[in-house]
Amino acid sequence: MILGMSLATFTQFHVIISLIAIVSGLLAAVGMLSARRMPVTTALFLFMTVATSVTGFMFDTPAEAPR
C-alpha cells in the first residue's frame, strides 16, 4: 500500500496525473506558439509535472534492479 491506496489504485492515480500534465503542457505550448499568456494552464502543467515525479519516486524498486 502506498499512501493508503493499493498498488493498482496508486498506479492509476499516477497515470491520471501524468495525462493531465501532458494535456496541460500541450495546451500551454499552443498558447505560447500563438503568443497568448496562459498562466493557469502553465501553473497546472508545472504542478502536475512535479506531482508526477514525486509519485513516481514512491513506487518500490525491484530487488533485481541495478542500484
Side-chain angles (χ1 to χ4, degrees):
M1 292 193 62
I2 304 170
L3 295 178
M5 295 181 251
S6 68
L7 183 59
T9 304
F10 185 75
T11 302
Q12 193 172 32
F13 176 67
H14 175 76
V15 169
I16 290 169
I17 290 173
S18 300
L19 292 175
I20 293 170
I22 290 168
V23 171
S24 62
L26 289 173
L27 292 173
V30 168
M32 287 181 206
L33 291 173
S34 63
R36 290 188 329 202
R37 298 194 77 199
M38 302 176 77
V40 174
T41 306
T42 304
L44 179 66
F45 166 68
L46 293 173
F47 178 77
M48 288 298 167
T49 303
V50 169
T52 299
S53 295
V54 169
T55 57
F57 281 112
M58 292 181 188
F59 286 103
D60 287 334
T61 305
E64 60 275 355
R67 295 187 189 245

